Amino acid sequence: MRTSPAIRRKLISVAAVSAALLTAAAPVAAAQDASPSEAAVPTAQTEAAPGTPAERLIVGYKSGAAEARSNKAAEADAEAKGEEAGENLDFQRRLGTGAALVDLGENLTQSDVADVVAEYQADPQVAYVVPDRLNQPQADPNDTDYAKQWDLFESTAGMNVPGAWPTSTGSGVTVAVIDTGYVAHSDLAANIVGGYDFISDTFVSVDGNGRDSNPADPGDWYNANECGPGIPASNSSWHGTHVAGTIAAVTNNSKGMVGIAYGAKISPVRVLGKCGGYDSDIIDAITWASGGTVSGVPANSNVAKVINMSLGGAGACTSATQSAINAAVNRGTTIVVAAGNDNDNVANHSPGNCNNVISVAATNRSGAKASYSNYGSLIDISAPGGQTSTGIANGIYSTVNSGTRTPSTESYAFYQGTSMAAPHIAGLAALMKSAKSSLTPAQIESAIKANARALPGSCSGGCGAGLADAAKTVQAVAGGTSTGTTFSSTSAVSIPDAGSAVESPITVSGLTGNAPSDLQVAVDITHTWRGDLVIDLVAPDGSTYRLKSSSGSDSANDVRTTYTVNASGETANGTWKLRVQDVAAQDTGRINSWSLTF
């Protein structure tokens, strides 16, 4: 059963102790024989909450230590360590996990705290020492229509966006929305920066002029047969504004909706008007938005690191369009495109079939491919696009205007389409780029795919890597470097001769997000013929990473080395295992110890 967004609450950790304490406490090892709840060393924080004293530590002892069983022993240990560090320490109480809460006193300097932590670290009976952090309630956004945005939070078909916000909101990233332009809306205005109108044909532009620096959307309505024989009349869509709202509507402003990357900025780049838009204008828009030079157009002062193109047509990706895309990606801009709404193979539709783009299919509220969405092997990822045929509230809710032809009052509406799915991925790309600015377009695409979850519903024909998961993806890229936190196992495990694989577990908890891309796996194994050994790291979800294969020519003894594993697709917390097997006869050995450094 889905928890109502009005009552869901998350706790986000804020630093409750000084930077000195956190820096000193970060690299403490967790012993294997500590209970799972005691084997936790939180990721080091770098800021202190204003006005919060650096006063307390949580100390976990190994299960066999006297201090783990006796309050008197823990109090005596705190006093002894305080004397050694030149400070007054006070045992406060025993936590439910058995850990001791130790008061450090007031007005300690960074050096004082480091001395105390060092004393605990040096004690072989101590499993871990961590700061007693302050947690505060973090409510869901207060925007009045947030509950209508099932596509962000709903557990079945939503994209798990709220779980990404404690890590990133997209700040510092500009997203270019290459579309119909922007019609003024108070739920978007604060996040709009300068764009450009690239429509050169005055029939298409509707605004009476050609290219200029005003990307305002005057409306894209047309009469029957005006865009071709048999094509019925259509009201203005305010399409670009709807797309922009999904990406970066202003959030926590007590009105309207929530943007996926609400800390990002939107640069409206107008290429679509009456009856659509030309390739030539779109090519120049891609070039300019990504920081390239377009003759007769001023340099772009709001270069986009992400481009969204919820547009397209039938046919192959032309060399001209592909060239513009390649150049933009080479400048470091990620390009997200809608796959198209023809229930056809995306290979037949551009720019969804271009290279170097993230091509996005649409899913409905059950998590299945939306009936209209294009599909195929060129689809990279799926995201919510809605399907109003099953009820208007099953569409994607975003910012529009009430005018049927020209702008009137601002409003909101449910739309459906791959045009609505693509900005979900553009918003996710902005969250990722904000969390880790060094990410390349290729790395962004790869991480989105690697951290997607299986499509909750059916898809015939190919829907890419699955349904994008914002929280998992952002945590994976944000946790891409080692923090120096180490968890160890020192329990010896015998390795049988030519027998079944044996495993040594380490339980990790208290960390945030995913494992790093440079997870360090230190191994100490004694063996009489090293070449017989096959060694794997097993992640909490059962995924395996081969550390060492067998080799008949390797006659050396023992394995004492550190392997580096890209485990950024794995949740850090859980039980990790070192799996070792002797695959040939006549030699034996044992796992002496091993450790994981995050």
Side-chain angles (χ1 to χ4, degrees), residues 150-151 156-160 260 336-339 358-364 367-370 372-376 378-386 417-418 420-426 428 445 448-470 473:
W150 61 268
D151 47 309
T156 298
M159 218 171 76
N160 197 16
I260 290 172
V336 180
V337 301
I358 301 176
S359 187
V360 186
T363 54
N364 60 27
K369 184 186 86 69
Y372 54 79
S373 178
N374 286 350
Y375 52 82
L378 295 182
I379 297 294
D380 293 301
I381 196 71
S382 294
T418 57
M420 287 57 256
H424 284 77
I425 301 302
L428 172 53
E445 178 179 343
I448 290 173
K449 292 178 178 179
N451 292 284
R453 67 183 192 269
L455 213 64
S458 62
C459 172
S460 176
C463 287
L467 182 63
D469 188 306
T473 305

Side-chain angles (χ1 to χ4, degrees), residues 98-387:
L101 181 63
V102 177
D103 193 303
L104 297 173
E106 299 179 357
N107 302 319
L108 274 72
T109 66
Q110 179 173 339
S111 177
D112 295 335
V113 173
D115 289 344
V116 172
V117 172
E119 290 296 331
Y120 276 110
Q121 287 178 312
D123 188 341
Q125 299 303 313
V126 171
Y128 62 86
V129 55
V130 297
D132 185 17
R133 303 181 301 180
L134 180 68
N135 291 266
Q136 296 177 341
Q138 178 64 40
D140 286 319
N142 62 21
D143 304 69
T144 53
D145 295 340
Y146 176 54
K148 298 177 181 179
Q149 294 181 265
W150 61 268
D151 47 309
L152 304 192
F153 60 78
E154 199 163 80
S155 59
T156 298
M159 218 171 76
N160 197 16
V161 174
W165 288 332
T167 303
S168 175
T169 62
S171 61
V173 177
T174 296
V175 181
V177 174
I178 297 180
D179 213 293
T180 65
Y182 163 68
V183 62
H185 200 294
S186 64
D187 211 7
L188 260 175
N191 283 342
I192 298 293
V193 297
Y196 207 80
D197 181 355
F198 275 92
I199 302 178
S200 51
D201 186 301
T202 54
F203 171 81
V204 176
S205 71
V206 182
D207 60 5
N209 54 44
R211 293 183 171 182
D212 57 39
S213 60
N214 181 11
D217 184 353
D220 58 354
W221 63 274
Y222 50 84
N223 295 315
N225 302 312
E226 195 172 9
C227 295
I231 297 178
S234 177
N235 292 332
S236 290
S237 67
W238 318 113
H239 189 273
T241 301
H242 194 281
V243 167
T246 296
I247 297 169
V250 177
T251 299
N252 284 317
N253 61 344
S254 300
K255 65 173 294 184
M257 61 170 295
V258 171
I260 290 172
Y262 60 82
K265 300 299 182 184
I266 297 290
S267 174
V269 183
R270 187 169 182 251
V271 298
L272 301 179
K274 180 173 286 191
C275 303
Y278 287 101
D279 276 359
S280 54
D281 291 339
I282 294 169
I283 287 167
D284 280 350
I286 294 169
T287 303
W288 182 83
S290 61
T293 300
V294 176
S295 178
V297 179
N300 185 1
S301 58
N302 298 295
V303 175
K305 290 304 178 185
V306 181
I307 286 174
N308 186 92
M309 291 197 295
S310 290
L311 49 80
C317 180
T318 67
S319 298
T321 298
Q322 189 65 66
S323 177
I325 289 170
N326 291 348
V329 170
N330 287 339
R331 285 188 282 268
T333 299
T334 299
I335 299 180
V336 180
V337 301
N341 304 326
D342 312 280
N343 190 27
D344 186 23
N345 195 312
V346 70
N348 302 319
H349 300 269
S350 176
N353 56 8
C354 294
N355 296 323
N356 277 339
V357 301
I358 301 176
S359 187
V360 186
T363 54
N364 60 27
R365 197 164 182 172
S366 68
K369 184 186 86 69
S371 62
Y372 54 79
S373 178
N374 286 350
Y375 52 82
S377 62
L378 295 182
I379 297 294
D380 293 301
I381 196 71
S382 294
Q387 193 145 3

